[in-house]
Amino acid sequence: MGNKNYSKAEIKADKKQLIMEAAMALFLEKGYANTRIIDIAEKAGIGKGTVYAYFESKEELMVTIIRDIVRKDHLLMAPDLDGVGSLREKLVEYIGHWEKMISKYGLYAVMFKEQIVLNPGVNSDEAMALVEEMSRDQYLRLHTIIKEGMESGEIRKSDIHHAAIFTMTAVGTYMISALSSFGLFEGHNKGFHGSEPVQSFGKEEIVDFILNGIG
């Protein structure tokens, strides 16, 4: 088999992808604020100047990752609710979306606002707009799910907006707080000193708490 002759465009695209993958891995591991361009270069096995040949700044690199990778996966992994019956089943599918995102990207997938919107070092309108777009998409999906549940009589009628925000907050807070504090995402249950080990919830258990509370 003969060796393939790669064009300059293919080599450039491969190197750009390499830089983005290295940056994404470090953003997940260390956080955006604690990652330096030199760290990304070392992770990618290239010189610092090569990174700047493709991206003017760490911020531009971060925006490109969100736009070209994370946002695309956010849409591709979105729950397909066609044919899904009950409110409970739809919520399970919705949470399954975040399970897939976390499986691929770690808790960074549900911490965009903390990592980007609330990070004083990020001054990119495009980054803010991309995060807002994904948050709006998440909200609208839940708004539709909850509205249909109210119309079908599966849950009591209340303010749909507040119900959607509450559900978003409940799911997001559980994933960020429980998974990071108790180590559930890493596969070991740390618990707090002197407390019982914490068992990980599945999608169904999370939905049960959302629908029934602790009463």
Side-chain angles (χ1 to χ4, degrees):
M1 182 181 294
N3 293 328
K4 177 179 178 181
N5 293 320
Y6 291 94
S7 67
K8 289 183 178 181
E10 287 175 316
I11 294 173
K12 186 175 182 179
D14 287 345
K15 192 160 288 188
K16 182 177 181 180
Q17 184 68 27
L18 179 66
I19 294 169
M20 291 170 66
E21 289 175 358
M24 186 67 187
L26 289 171
F27 291 163
L28 294 175
E29 177 187 343
K30 302 171 61 173
Y32 172 79
N34 295 322
T35 300
R36 303 171 301 166
I37 289 292
I38 187 63
D39 299 326
I40 296 169
E42 290 176 356
K43 179 79 172 177
I46 58 178
K48 181 178 178 180
T50 304
V51 177
Y52 283 114
Y54 290 87
F55 301 96
E56 291 184 1
S57 63
K58 184 176 73 169
E59 189 170 281
E60 182 189 348
L61 177 50
M62 177 265 294
V63 170
T64 305
I65 288 171
I66 298 172
R67 183 182 62 237
D68 295 354
I69 300 178
V70 181
R71 177 181 171 275
K72 194 176 297 180
D73 279 342
H74 177 81
L75 297 174
L76 287 173
M77 295 180 184
D80 182 5
L81 299 178
D82 289 342
V84 177
S86 68
L87 167 70
R88 190 176 188 280
E89 291 169 332
K90 291 173 183 175
L91 287 174
V92 168
E93 287 296 315
Y94 167 81
I95 294 173
H97 162 71
W98 287 108
E99 280 189 341
K100 288 183 285 188
M101 291 293 288
I102 289 175
S103 177
K104 182 164 186 177
Y105 295 111
L107 286 176
Y108 190 85
V110 291
M111 295 177 71
F112 282 117
K113 192 167 291 185
E114 288 77 4
Q115 287 277 357
I116 298 169
V117 177
L118 300 181
N119 191 320
V122 179
N123 299 304
S124 169
D125 291 339
E126 183 177 359
M128 303 297 183
L130 287 166
V131 172
E132 182 181 344
E133 176 190 337
M134 287 185 284
S135 296
R136 183 171 59 249
D137 176 71
Q138 179 188 4
Y139 165 78
L140 290 175
R141 289 178 191 279
L142 275 175
H143 188 282
T144 299
I145 290 171
I146 291 169
K147 180 181 179 182
E148 291 174 351
M150 290 180 183
E151 291 173 347
S152 66
E154 295 173 86
I155 52 175
R156 65 182 177 84
K157 290 188 176 180
S158 60
D159 188 292
I160 301 173
H161 169 71
H162 287 152
I165 293 296
F166 168 80
T167 305
M168 286 176 63
T169 304
V171 173
T173 301
Y174 172 78
M175 290 178 174
I176 293 172
S177 299
L179 299 186
S180 57
S181 297
F182 294 100
L184 300 182
F185 179 69
E186 291 80 6
H188 61 280
N189 302 336
K190 295 185 293 187
F192 289 131
H193 180 68
S195 70
E196 293 291 329
V198 179
Q199 301 301 316
S200 179
F201 271 9
K203 292 177 288 188
E204 291 78 7
E205 288 86 356
I206 297 172
V207 171
D208 283 340
F209 263 102
I210 291 172
L211 293 177
N212 302 318
I214 61 173

